[in-house]
Amino acid sequence: MRVELNLLQSADAASTQFAAIADALRNPPPDLFGPGTTQADGTPVYDTDGERSYVTSRPDAQGNLVYTDAYRMGRVIAIVYTLGSDAEAAKAVRRLVAERIDARAPR
């Protein structure tokens, strides 16, 4: 798992930046997951001020998918990448991480 957090000066600024970041994550740069990797729309596992989820279109050589969740929680933009081959286990961890970030995110 990899977590990136951005704290912005206001919820409005976070909302604007979230829209741009969430769209850009749909087509990750080649150095993020490897060349030729594409993502499909995923199902968000947590409901907050804004959320967008993606999953890699096909598993890697070890059978893993990358689940990418982007959230806006007040002034915070959180991007969470979860690597896993068990979709239900990954879903549980993704939700737990989002809950913990949201509980501490400044509004």
Side-chain angles (χ1 to χ4, degrees):
M1 175 167 288
R2 176 178 162 179
V3 178
E4 298 175 5
L5 299 174
N6 298 291
L7 177 60
L8 286 92
Q9 64 274 20
S10 69
D12 287 340
S15 183
T16 300
Q17 188 165 340
F18 174 78
I21 288 173
D23 286 342
L25 288 171
R26 178 77 167 83
N27 297 301
D31 60 337
L32 189 59
F33 303 138
T37 302
T38 60
Q39 296 203 102
D41 290 335
T43 303
V45 296
Y46 189 75
D47 185 34
T48 188
D49 300 327
E51 62 279 325
R52 189 86 57 86
S53 293
Y54 303 104
V55 61
T56 47
S57 300
R58 61 181 186 273
D60 66 12
Q62 291 76 38
N64 294 307
L65 294 169
V66 177
Y67 300 89
T68 302
D69 297 296
Y71 300 105
R72 184 182 70 80
M73 302 166 172
R75 299 186 305 139
V76 172
I77 296 173
I79 303 169
V80 181
Y81 304 98
T82 306
L83 179 71
S85 60
D86 180 334
E88 288 304 309
K91 181 179 178 179
V93 169
R94 292 165 54 211
R95 181 168 181 74
L96 177 65
V97 169
E99 288 171 349
R100 297 246 171 114
I101 295 169
D102 197 21
R104 293 171 174 82
R107 302 290 186 209

